Amino acid sequence: LVGRLDNSAVSSVGAKLAFKSNEEIELQVRSIPLDKVIPESEPVLLVKIDVQGWEHHVLKGAVKLSSRELGKAPYLIYEEDERLLQASNSGSKEIREFRQSVGYRHCTQHGTDANCTKNS
């Protein structure tokens, strides 16, 4: 994971955190998929994802959560900024394909923000 403190860019190349002074430090970040953190029996109403371009990766770690049936699947809010998504080796096309595959067919865009729900 690579990021900048000023949120100007993220990248999947290496594990360094770049400061405005261009000083770089190596940083290891352990990540855990949401499906391992949230038990299937736990009701979830809303998932808000704001990870500066890593939204597709977060969603892939929430397949079980996102695949819950109508009425039990959470409302999704996430950012779909193509520039940031490309920096994490993904894109809006992959997010939309994932969304469709788990049943989220009703989404609205407000700028770069997407709001999605499952409808019957």
Side-chain angles (χ1 to χ4, degrees):
L1 172 64
V2 174
R4 297 185 70 88
L5 291 180
D6 62 2
N7 285 332
S8 65
V10 292
S11 171
S12 63
V13 181
K16 295 182 180 180
L17 180 62
F19 293 88
K20 285 185 178 183
S21 68
N22 291 327
E23 174 190 1
E24 292 186 353
I25 61 169
E26 291 200 20
L27 176 68
Q28 286 190 336
V29 177
R30 192 179 107 157
S31 62
I32 303 169
L34 285 175
D35 284 340
K36 292 195 182 272
V37 176
I38 301 171
E40 290 184 45
S41 61
E42 182 73 31
V44 177
L45 299 174
L46 169 72
V47 173
K48 166 79 165 82
I49 305 168
D50 186 357
V51 289
Q52 302 303 310
W54 293 84
E55 287 75 8
H56 183 236
H57 302 280
V58 171
L59 288 168
K60 287 191 316 187
V63 174
K64 289 179 185 176
L65 178 63
S66 301
S67 296
R68 290 181 181 182
E69 63 190 35
L70 181 67
K72 295 184 179 180
Y75 188 86
L76 296 178
I77 300 173
Y78 64 90
E79 191 175 26
E80 198 173 290
D81 183 322
E82 198 62 44
R83 179 182 59 91
L84 294 175
L85 290 167
Q86 287 176 356
S88 71
N89 296 319
S90 65
S92 57
K93 180 182 178 209
E94 288 88 357
I95 290 177
R96 291 176 186 169
E97 287 172 353
F98 173 84
R99 234 179 33 208
Q100 291 283 322
S101 74
V102 294
Y104 283 87
R105 290 176 176 62
H106 183 260
C107 294
T108 57
Q109 292 281 139
H110 304 280
T112 59
D113 291 333
N115 300 277
C116 304
T117 188
K118 287 190 178 180
N119 285 345
S120 54

